[in-house]
Amino acid sequence: MAKEPMLKFVNVGRDMPEKRDAGDRKEDFLEIYGDFISAKAEEQASRCSQCGVPYCQSHCPLHNNIPDWLRLTASGRLKEAYELSQETNAFPEICGRICPQDRLCEGNCVIEQSGHGTVTIGAVEKYITDTAWENGWVEGIKPHTERTESVGIIGSGPGGVAAADRLRRAGLQVTVYERSDRAGGLMTYGIPSFKLEKDVVMRRIDQLKESGVEFVLNCNVGEDISFDALREKHDAVLIATGVYKSRDLQGPGAGSEGIVAALDYLTASNKVSFGDTVAEFDSGALNAKGKKVVVIGGGDTAMDCVRTAIRQGATSVKCLYRRDRANMPGSQRETQNAEEEGVEFVWLAAPKGFAGNPVTGVMVQKMRLGTPDASGRQSPEVIEGADYVEDADLVIKALGFEPEELPKLWNADGLEVTRWGTVLADFKTHETKLPGVYACGDIQRGASLVVWAIRDGREAADAIVEQVNAAASVAAE
Ligand SMILES: Cc1cc2nc3c(=O)[nH]c(=O)nc-3n(C[C@H](O)[C@H](O)[C@H](O)COP(=O)(O)OP(=O)(O)OC[C@H]3O[C@@H](n4cnc5c(N)ncnc54)[C@H](O)[C@@H]3O)c2cc1C
Ligand code: SF4
């Protein structure tokens, strides 16, 4: 007999904030509903059928031991559940909040496959780690032995900091060079705070600092310090710089005032979340309040922009995408969230140009899906004579990111790149063609996910530890 689906486990931070009033803080919610959430976490965890073919685990990039920590949670053994979950994931509360679980662990849960709704794995992972923080179970790193070898990490996103965590555990000295004024990479300035609260990221950065990791902020490698100088200074160097070259739009009016890049818009909004004064936000240049907003793109960055614009008080928010819903790259869950919040999706629509300066509208070409290309994906084709103008006074370009040209920027000829411009490195050890230089995260695999960057950072750190161990044993002979 089919089991009755249980109540949905409330995921504070994902399901709740958008429905709360401005003064209704997460802490208040937890205070009132803490027991309720705890009961729901146990209830959700107990829905796991312990199927014995843990597709959830094999579809988690970190191969988290999900069935076991669900079983521990179901029996109220939260500390053990936390200890197990952090064995494979340096930042479980972050992944629990922002992994696209519908494409990873939860999408492959056998209960989901049998039509009864997935166990909300991400929400339970977040819950057990948040509980661990509240109870002081999350401890800083105390290496058994301090070693003299040092590693320089360029970039403090999830790839860089996951590696820093692992390297410190092995006793190595770690310095992270970051060009921004805060550490955390896209977890800090890309992903909006309604999905990933900034104090959750900063708490981890602070913990790494307390564990002996040195962060050198406002340090742009290639400008403030040369790549060669880092190689001289450290026994190994890890490149974890992410991908930041925004794809751009062409066409008449593309340079008009009021057309902004997604990352500029999201960074401004995130800085405001930190309490910073941001001139472009105050002037309205990077603020959607009272505006007709059009976001161009169909990926997760576009979803973050539309949902941020709604929260800032835009009068209307539309998202233009040149393919249809079934073919959009962004998470279906995010799209559904955006729709529920009032975003209008205009499928099969591509920008041809822009009216006005400052911008007053987007000239839109209607598209249809044509014959599949070599990859099997249907290419969008223009429908002649169906152009129209979509009113807009703020246009946000969210068309994806490409790698910067690191070999040129860093004067590092031996640093080989792929035809996509990503750094060429071994996919297991992450070593590049330059001895002692490693790469991980988006700069190696192209724009991807936090959880993949964490896995890469972990693997690169393990390979670096092997390298320094090998060098130490040669020196000892
Ligand atoms: C808007 C947006 C939303 C996203 N939402 C999600 C999501 O919900 N879930 C998810 O899993 N993934 C999401 N992603 C993808 C995810 O953020 C990335 O895959 C991940 O952050 C990559 O990690 P990384 O460590 O490789 O690089 P990054 O996080 O990009 O960090 C790289 C760091 O290197 C620094 N840096 C670059 N060049 C230099 C230099 N020369 N010198 C010093 N420092 C340098 C940068 O300032 C940055 O801090 C999102 C991405 C974007 C853009
Ligand atoms: S890390 Fe991500 S994919 Fe893995 S179990 Fe957690 S939420 Fe799922």
Side-chain angles (χ1 to χ4, degrees):
M1 201 177 73
K3 275 193 224 162
E4 274 294 298
M6 298 263 195
L7 277 172
K8 186 170 180 270
F9 168 39
V10 178
N11 179 359
V12 179
R14 191 171 70 198
D15 296 343
M16 291 307 296
E18 51 270 36
K19 300 185 181 80
R20 294 197 318 252
D21 296 331
D24 187 7
R25 298 173 316 126
K26 184 187 78 178
E27 291 76 11
D28 302 334
F29 179 85
L30 277 174
E31 205 173 295
I32 299 164
Y33 295 106
D35 289 346
F36 168 78
I37 291 171
S38 163
K40 286 290 159 208
E42 288 173 23
E43 185 179 287
Q44 265 301 312
S46 68
R47 292 184 62 226
C48 174
S49 64
Q50 299 289 323
C51 58
V53 277
Y55 293 124
C56 56
Q57 184 168 4
S58 55
H59 285 85
C60 164
L62 298 167
H63 300 311
N64 282 343
N65 194 341
I66 300 164
D68 281 358
W69 50 250
L70 285 177
R71 204 180 51 227
L72 290 165
T73 305
S75 48
R77 293 159 63 183
L78 287 181
K79 187 159 190 258
E80 289 159 89
Y82 159 70
E83 281 162 359
L84 190 59
S85 96
Q86 62 87 49
E87 265 178 28
T88 46
N89 189 352
F91 314 119
E93 74 282 23
I94 293 179
C95 292
R97 280 169 168 84
I98 48 106
C99 271
Q101 288 100 4
D102 53 340
R103 288 187 252 154
L104 301 170
C105 52
E106 293 179 12
N108 291 281
C109 166
V110 293
I111 299 179
E112 170 77 3
Q113 304 290 340
S114 67
H116 291 92
T118 180
V119 174
T120 53
I121 297 165
V124 177
E125 186 179 28
K126 165 187 176 299
Y127 171 73
I128 55 184
T129 317
D130 283 350
T131 306
W133 275 103
E134 278 159 28
N135 288 287
W137 303 333
V138 183
E139 287 172 10
I141 302 162
K142 294 187 196 86
H144 290 302
T145 323
E146 285 293 349
R147 302 182 58 156
T148 53
E149 297 93 338
S150 77
V151 182
I153 299 178
I154 312 172
S156 65
V161 289
D165 177 281
R166 193 93 163 174
L167 291 163
R168 267 311 284 148
R169 286 181 199 279
L172 296 175
Q173 308 308 312
V174 180
T175 307
V176 180
Y177 301 87
E178 169 55 56
R179 70 179 168 193
S180 182
D181 59 346
R182 286 192 179 91
L186 289 171
M187 299 188 295
T188 298
Y189 282 147
I191 302 172
S193 55
F194 63 83
K195 276 168 61 181
L196 178 57
E197 306 93 308
K198 300 303 147 188
D199 55 340
V200 169
V201 180
M202 289 305 130
R203 182 169 70 179
R204 283 291 180 184
I205 301 294
D206 289 344
Q207 189 195 37
L208 285 170
K209 283 184 195 160
E210 283 154 22
S211 303
V213 175
E214 187 191 357
F215 285 86
V216 184
L217 301 178
N218 300 305
C219 177
N220 190 353
V221 173
E223 272 184 21
D224 300 313
I225 184 167
S226 75
F227 177 61
D228 283 344
L230 289 191
R231 291 190 71 200
E232 286 279 309
K233 187 170 174 193
H234 298 287
D235 296 276
V237 170
L238 174 62
I239 304 171
T241 49
V243 289
Y244 283 89
K245 199 163 85 182
S246 305
R247 294 195 189 113
D248 215 347
L249 283 171
Q250 306 299 328
S256 298
E257 196 184 316
I259 304 174
V260 303
L263 210 51
D264 292 344
Y265 173 69
L266 292 171
T267 302
S269 170
N270 277 316
K271 286 194 174 226
V272 170
S273 303
F274 276 106
D276 296 356
T277 303
V278 181
E280 294 91 338
F281 182 86
D282 294 342
S283 72
L286 294 174
N287 184 353
K289 189 174 168 59
K291 294 195 175 146
K292 287 187 280 267
V293 178
V294 170
V295 176
I296 299 170
D300 289 335
T301 303
M303 297 310 106
D304 286 345
C305 291
V306 291
R307 298 185 71 198
T308 301
I310 289 274
R311 282 162 178 75
Q312 288 178 346
T315 50
S316 68
V317 182
K318 293 189 181 182
C319 183
L320 302 190
Y321 181 54
R322 66 198 178 120
R323 289 189 163 91
D324 60 4
R325 184 185 195 119
N327 284 287
M328 72 180 291
S331 149
Q332 291 296 330
R333 187 185 271 178
E334 290 271 325
T335 311
Q336 195 187 328
N337 286 340
E339 276 178 329
E340 284 169 8
E341 290 164 11
V343 174
E344 188 185 324
F345 284 85
V346 186
W347 307 113
L348 295 162
K352 185 183 179 182
F354 301 90
N357 189 5
V359 72
T360 54
V362 182
M363 295 178 237
V364 179
Q365 288 180 313
K366 289 300 290 174
M367 315 294 280
R368 67 172 153 248
L369 291 180
T371 44
D373 60 17
S375 69
R377 205 166 174 217
Q378 284 180 286
S379 318
E381 295 169 354
V382 175
I383 303 175
E384 296 298 342
D387 297 3
Y388 72 101
V389 175
E390 192 76 74
D391 287 349
D393 35 31
L394 178 64
V395 177
I396 304 172
K397 300 175 285 184
L399 300 152
F401 303 94
E402 285 166 5
E404 292 160 291
E405 291 170 64
L406 293 188
K408 204 166 134 196
L409 287 172
W410 291 355
N411 203 11
D413 290 342
L415 187 68
E416 287 188 31
V417 293
T418 65
R419 65 193 165 103
W420 299 280
T422 48
V423 171
L424 184 67
D426 183 283
F427 250 87
K428 187 74 193 151
T429 65
H430 300 268
E431 189 161 17
T432 68
K433 296 290 173 186
L434 289 174
V437 176
Y438 298 74
C440 74
D442 283 3
I443 192 59
Q444 185 195 4
R445 61 170 66 238
S448 180
L449 293 172
V450 165
V451 66
W452 281 110
I454 293 174
R455 167 158 161 186
D456 290 350
R458 181 174 87 183
E459 286 175 348
D462 289 349
I464 291 171
V465 172
E466 252 183 59
Q467 177 206 307
V468 295
N469 283 347
S473 43
V474 169
E477 276 169 14

